[in-house]
Amino acid sequence: MFTLDTHMHTCLSPCADLDMHPTAIVATAIQAGLDGIVVCDHNSAENLAAVQRAGQRVGLSVLAGMEIASAEEVHVVALLPDLEAALKLQRRVYAELPGKNDEEAFGMQVVAGEDGEVLGFNQRLLIGATTMSVEEVVAAIHDAGGVAVAAHVDREGFGIIGQLGMIPPGLALDALEVSRLTPLSVARLKYVPSGELPLLCGSDAHEPKFVGTAVTFMLLQEPTFAEVNAALAEKSGRTVLGGGRPMEDLSMHILDIAQNSIEAGASSVEISLVEDIARDLLEIEVRDDGKGMDPETIAKVADPFFTTRTTRKVGMGLAFLAQAAQAAGGELSIKSEPGQGTRVKASFGLSHIDRAPIGDVETTLMVLLAGHDNVDLTFRHSIGGREFSLCTADLKEAAGGGPLSTPAGLALLRQAIRLGESSLREPDPARQTRRPGNQTAASLEVNNEYRDR
């Protein structure tokens, strides 16, 4: 499993901060725990090579991209095989891009070296629109060997739906992108209710502080264009697991804590998410049987600059979760003993105006279950007395005993989660779980469907 920010800009884009030079972007991406990024400057790829060289120094995958503005002012992100393909597409875009930049009106367009040095200034009107229709933009991307993604479809400005009122029938898009403004759970229902296209989450960062604030999780062998392309097409077991806003959505906090548990050697992780309407209380609890912590370590874990993790330099998960709980009138507690595992529990005022959104539970479960097949995971989510639950053992049994990371296992997993989560909000009491620990009726439906095949 890999974490990517699929849309960010450099100082070449006139609307981007001058601090978005190659070295700063790469350093911020590494700090955010990203495996890869896609550089998508407006109508140009002149800073791509420099960011790729900076990324190579530290092992960060930097994929080729470009954000192209059509004649209708629809923004389309191109994900491209390599630098050569990006430069090929750039030549086509430049030929269709009228106007000259006005630095006072739009800002400087800095061509930078990998160490952040200024090499020159692009004088084209990169902030402008090309003379190509949106259909021509998509065709040009495909001609360069790339995939076409409708950028930030949840935004009125420059999003395809905001500009055109719809996605034109027959437009050969490969994916849709949502910005960090919209939780994926909301976007999925609004834009692809029948799974018409994969959804990506990108930060669209124009300043360093926004790098990694929206990410996409993919099941890949390595973070390369070929693997990403296969994931978008659901080929060879590659897939888009989901996406979210790390350290903002509560579901991403759950994912962070559970991954901490797994890295601490846990073979079993139990997750509980309780929305108690009568008590106006939201509770999150994660228990594991990992190596545990001594009192000194417990006292330190809420420090944003303390971590025992080797996969991320700054472990801010528990610190931000504590802040989120306190902001919503709740608290964070940690109980742990060496060799006895750890329990993390956070409470929030359910209707508190400052409570963070729950976010996309599906993404959290897909990443944990598909990405950690050797861990026994139990998940329970209750709302007002109703409960949806699932566990690794039941899912594997329903999948015929095989791993959940196979195409059939992933399909079963997605359906079980969607049916179970939707059952919590339906009025029919027959879809409730009868006892904690049992499967929901929704899970049983999926189980029976796969057994009958």
Side-chain angles (χ1 to χ4, degrees):
M1 193 276 295
F2 292 90
T3 307
L4 294 91
D5 187 333
T6 58
H7 185 172
M8 68 178 61
H9 295 260
T10 78
C11 52
L12 177 62
S13 292
C15 45
D17 196 286
L18 294 179
D19 288 335
M20 289 292 280
H21 58 78
T23 302
I25 290 171
V26 168
T28 307
I30 291 293
Q31 187 179 50
L34 300 176
D35 299 300
I37 62 174
V38 184
V39 174
C40 302
D41 278 315
H42 289 292
N43 295 314
S44 182
E46 289 193 34
N47 274 355
L48 173 61
V51 183
Q52 288 183 327
R53 289 193 296 269
Q56 287 172 356
R57 294 175 178 174
V58 294
L60 178 73
S61 179
V62 179
L63 305 185
M66 190 184 306
E67 185 173 16
I68 304 169
S70 74
E72 305 92 343
E73 295 193 329
V74 171
H75 285 189
V76 182
V77 164
L79 303 183
L80 299 155
D82 49 34
L83 177 61
E84 181 180 356
L87 296 178
K88 174 184 177 180
L89 183 58
Q90 178 181 272
R91 289 192 293 271
R92 174 68 189 279
V93 170
Y94 280 179
E96 303 277 357
L97 186 65
K100 184 178 180 180
N101 186 45
D102 182 340
E103 291 187 355
E104 291 187 4
F106 305 120
M108 292 185 289
Q109 300 175 159
V110 179
V111 180
E114 61 217 73
D115 294 313
E117 68 274 25
V118 176
L119 302 180
F121 300 90
N122 189 307
Q123 298 302 320
R124 291 178 171 84
L125 188 60
L126 299 182
I127 203 169
T130 67
T131 58
M132 294 186 287
S133 68
V134 67
E135 290 83 2
E136 290 172 325
V137 168
V138 170
I141 293 170
H142 289 158
D143 184 58
V147 296
V149 183
H152 37 67
V153 295
D154 53 327
R155 281 174 37 188
E156 286 294 322
F158 307 114
I160 191 168
I161 297 173
Q163 294 297 117
L164 304 181
M166 62 174 181
I167 297 175
L171 184 63
L173 292 168
D174 301 290
L176 305 181
E177 174 200 84
V178 294
S179 74
R180 61 178 178 270
L181 303 176
T182 304
L184 196 65
S185 54
V186 175
R188 189 181 292 116
L189 293 173
K190 185 173 183 179
Y191 302 114
V192 288
S194 300
E196 296 87 342
L197 288 168
L199 280 176
L200 301 180
C201 294
S203 68
D204 194 10
H206 287 68
E207 302 175 50
K209 66 182 180 180
F210 291 118
V211 172
T213 54
V215 300
T216 301
F217 301 99
M218 295 189 183
L219 191 62
L220 313 170
Q221 288 294 320
E222 55 184 346
T224 63
F225 170 80
E227 289 283 304
V228 169
N229 194 17
L232 294 177
E234 295 281 342
K235 292 181 178 178
S236 305
R238 287 26 169 198
T239 191
V240 178
L241 295 170
R245 304 173 294 186
M247 304 308 113
E248 183 175 342
D249 294 339
L250 294 178
S251 60
M252 293 292 99
H253 283 288
I254 295 172
L255 176 60
D256 186 69
I257 296 167
Q259 287 180 320
N260 279 340
S261 296
I262 294 167
E263 291 187 14
S267 60
S268 175
V269 178
E270 299 179 12
I271 300 170
S272 173
L273 175 61
V274 177
E275 298 177 57
D276 191 330
I277 298 169
R279 298 167 61 201
D280 192 28
L281 181 66
L282 172 66
E283 290 184 322
I284 294 170
E285 184 172 330
V286 181
R287 291 176 177 263
D288 69 60
D289 63 352
K291 64 183 181 182
M293 296 179 284
D294 57 32
E296 181 181 358
T297 303
I298 293 174
K300 292 179 179 178
V301 292
D303 181 345
F305 298 102
F306 172 81
T307 182
T308 58
R309 296 181 67 167
T310 59
T311 57
R312 189 173 63 220
K313 292 185 178 180
V314 180
M316 294 186 176
L318 288 173
F320 278 125
L321 181 58
Q323 292 173 11
Q326 292 164 7
E331 62 181 0
L332 175 73
S333 64
I334 303 169
K335 291 185 178 180
S336 185
E337 293 182 22
Q340 300 298 314
T342 299
R343 188 200 76 170
V344 176
K345 187 173 184 178
S347 62
F348 309 80
L350 182 62
S351 64
H352 198 288
I353 191 171
D354 292 323
R355 178 179 64 80
I358 291 175
D360 190 38
V361 170
E362 178 180 323
T363 290
T364 293
L365 294 178
M366 289 293 293
V367 171
L368 291 172
L369 288 162
H372 303 285
D373 203 57
N374 60 333
V375 176
D376 289 326
L377 179 77
T378 301
F379 173 77
R380 297 185 180 92
H381 184 185
S382 67
I383 299 178
R386 290 186 172 193
E387 183 178 282
F388 157 55
S389 64
L390 56 75
C391 67
T392 301
D394 289 336
L395 288 164
K396 285 186 175 181
E397 181 183 354
L404 297 176
S405 56
T406 63
L410 291 168
L412 180 147
L413 181 53
R414 281 196 180 95
Q415 190 174 8
I417 296 167
R418 291 181 185 183
L419 285 170
E421 284 292 301
S422 65
S423 75
L424 293 176
R425 305 183 188 279
E426 291 179 355
D428 183 2
R431 297 182 68 88
Q432 297 181 41
T433 301
R434 287 176 290 278
R435 293 189 303 273
N438 285 0
Q439 290 179 295
T440 58
S443 295
L444 290 170
E445 288 173 13
V446 175
N447 204 334
N448 292 333
E449 177 185 345
Y450 273 78
R451 283 176 174 159
D452 291 341
R453 287 189 175 182

